[in-house]
Amino acid sequence: MTERLYYSDSHLYKFTAKATSCEARGGSYSVTLDRSAFFPEGGGQRGDTGFIGGVSVIDTQESGGEVFHITKSPLAVGESFDCELDWDTRFSRMQSHSGEHVVSGIVHNLYGFDNVGFHMGADGMIVDFSGFLTDDEIRDIELRANRVIWENRRVTASFPDPGELKNMEYRSKLELTENVRIVEIEGVDLCACCAPHVSFTGEIGLIRILESIRRKDGVRIRMLAGRDAYLDASARCLELGRVSSLLSAKAEGAYDAVSRLMRQRDELSYRLGGFKRKEIADFAAALSPTDGTILLFRPDYDPDELRLLINAVLPKCGGMVCGFTGSDADGYKYIIAKSGGDLRAKAK
């Protein structure tokens, strides 16, 4: 059985280990080591990647209590290899996972809600809670979580014996009785978790709660922590700077500037709509009645304007009225109408 080095040192990313097995699996190989700092996928966190003896590790999985390193090439069983994790990715995941524990611990302590779902993906973390939270409560939780980061609380992991575990009040989605690893964030959270975490909350750096969605039995939040939170905040600030530059306004005044532009746009749109309605009415009034089909092409009309045109012209026509708008580059939209009759065949 592989000795899991990340249990004793979550920051270890270079080590030496002996290959104990290597089996072909499709187009890749499944390798076990006598000791490993590679974390296998679990608890909502993806498996580590990196290198064993220069051979790329594309995933790490667990089965039957054993850690399997998925590699692109075979490794000689019995030989020792220098191993190295993709540390930037691994540390970012540690920041994120520890950040989630901070937020979940605060929610549990303040409101008694459980974390009933957790997923760490490319666009952030999704956390489901068993109760409802208002927008103001979520903003308060975010502030409290970042205060925990500023206070640089200690994060520890241990395997309590069954007697100790029995007297602990810890968060867990499953009923666990033995070999339970408890991750403690000082004064904030006590949770059963198999994943590697930071040693102090200051390493998380930043926590941001991006959005919340009410669900049937609780709330789902999307959040970022650590490097991901910084990169997102940096990108948003850059985009805000570009927008405020276009508006010739300070960044903190961009909302008011956009609001003014939208009001002006709505006013102009209303006035333009009046001109369009008069243009349509004048056009329909000038048409001579016909029993044939009338084809109309208006490249700059939106669907609502095209519908007004068709309805205005229809009383002048005994056949069909067909209206088209668009271009070769953007594609075309159409409306066909007739007083009485079935147009489904024509539409096809």
Side-chain angles (χ1 to χ4, degrees):
M1 199 71 70
T2 304
E3 177 189 354
R4 306 189 187 210
L5 300 176
Y6 56 83
Y7 279 162
S8 56
D9 185 357
S10 62
H11 290 68
L12 179 68
Y13 66 95
K14 289 183 178 182
F15 62 98
T16 301
K18 181 186 296 183
T20 54
S21 73
C22 179
E23 297 181 1
R25 182 178 295 180
S28 58
Y29 296 85
S30 180
V31 177
T32 59
L33 304 173
D34 63 340
R35 58 204 297 269
S36 178
F38 285 84
F39 173 70
E41 182 174 8
Q45 183 170 323
R46 295 178 63 183
D48 283 334
T49 59
F51 296 92
I52 300 174
V55 172
S56 179
V57 177
I58 57 177
D59 194 11
T60 308
Q61 294 292 320
E62 179 179 9
S63 180
E66 183 58 277
V67 178
F68 295 94
H69 308 77
I70 312 305
T71 65
K72 290 186 175 181
S73 304
L75 290 161
V77 176
E79 289 191 17
S80 293
F81 299 95
D82 292 331
C83 308
E84 183 173 351
L85 306 182
D86 174 357
W87 176 244
D88 285 345
T89 300
R90 159 67 170 277
F91 184 64
S92 176
R93 290 172 179 171
M94 287 166 54
Q95 290 178 308
S96 294
H97 206 147
S98 297
E100 176 270 315
H101 275 227
V102 170
V103 170
S104 294
I106 290 171
V107 170
H108 186 74
N109 293 336
L110 287 179
Y111 304 103
F113 300 154
D114 293 322
N115 174 336
V116 293
F118 171 62
H119 173 71
M120 189 186 303
D123 59 347
M125 294 175 285
I126 300 297
V127 188
D128 293 330
F129 290 109
S130 60
F132 299 106
L133 296 166
T134 66
D135 290 343
D136 287 342
E137 288 169 341
I138 288 174
R139 296 280 73 79
D140 177 62
I141 291 164
E142 183 183 66
L143 177 59
R144 289 173 182 264
N146 281 289
R147 186 173 289 125
V148 169
I149 291 174
W150 306 332
E151 293 169 354
N152 202 25
R153 305 279 187 97
R154 181 178 291 277
V155 182
T156 56
S158 62
F159 288 89
D161 62 46
E164 291 177 301
L165 193 66
K166 186 177 180 180
N167 295 318
M168 281 185 175
E169 291 186 9
Y170 61 93
R171 296 190 300 109
S172 177
K173 298 183 185 69
L174 303 173
E175 290 292 332
L176 305 171
T177 57
E178 58 182 19
N179 296 324
V180 181
R181 183 169 179 263
I182 298 295
V183 174
E184 179 178 3
I185 300 177
E186 182 184 1
V188 178
D189 190 41
L190 204 62
C191 182
C193 183
C194 61
H197 286 265
V198 300
S199 299
F200 292 89
T201 57
E203 295 177 71
I204 299 171
L206 176 67
I207 289 174
R208 300 188 65 240
I209 299 177
L210 302 180
E211 63 179 345
S212 63
I213 303 171
R214 285 180 68 93
R215 294 160 61 84
K216 181 174 64 175
D217 51 0
V219 66
R220 165 172 287 182
I221 68 168
R222 186 167 70 90
M223 61 174 284
L224 296 171
R227 181 189 67 179
D228 293 342
Y230 165 76
L231 292 176
D232 179 80
S234 179
R236 288 172 186 261
C237 284
L238 179 61
E239 194 68 14
L240 178 58
R242 290 171 174 168
V243 170
S244 60
S245 178
L246 287 174
L247 297 170
S248 298
K250 293 181 178 180
E252 57 270 25
Y255 175 83
D256 290 337
V258 171
S259 296
R260 284 195 301 273
L261 281 179
M262 292 182 69
R263 286 195 299 271
Q264 292 170 5
R265 179 207 63 186
D266 292 342
E267 291 169 2
L268 289 172
S269 178
Y270 179 79
R271 291 174 61 188
L272 181 61
F275 291 135
K276 276 283 178 66
R277 287 190 291 273
K278 185 176 186 307
E279 175 188 280
I280 289 169
D282 289 346
F283 175 81
L287 277 179
S288 300
T290 178
D291 291 332
T293 293
I294 297 177
L295 302 179
L296 302 168
F297 180 58
R298 296 292 186 275
D300 60 340
Y301 273 34
D302 64 31
D304 289 336
E305 292 166 347
L306 191 62
R307 187 174 292 106
L308 287 174
L309 176 64
I310 296 298
N311 288 335
V313 171
L314 189 59
K316 294 290 191 78
C317 181
M320 289 190 302
V321 179
C322 307
F324 300 86
T325 184
S327 66
D328 287 346
D330 299 328
Y332 294 91
K333 294 181 180 179
Y334 71 90
I335 297 174
I336 58 175
K338 185 179 181 180
S339 296
D342 191 340
L343 288 176
R344 285 177 292 184
K346 293 290 184 184
K348 290 180 181 179

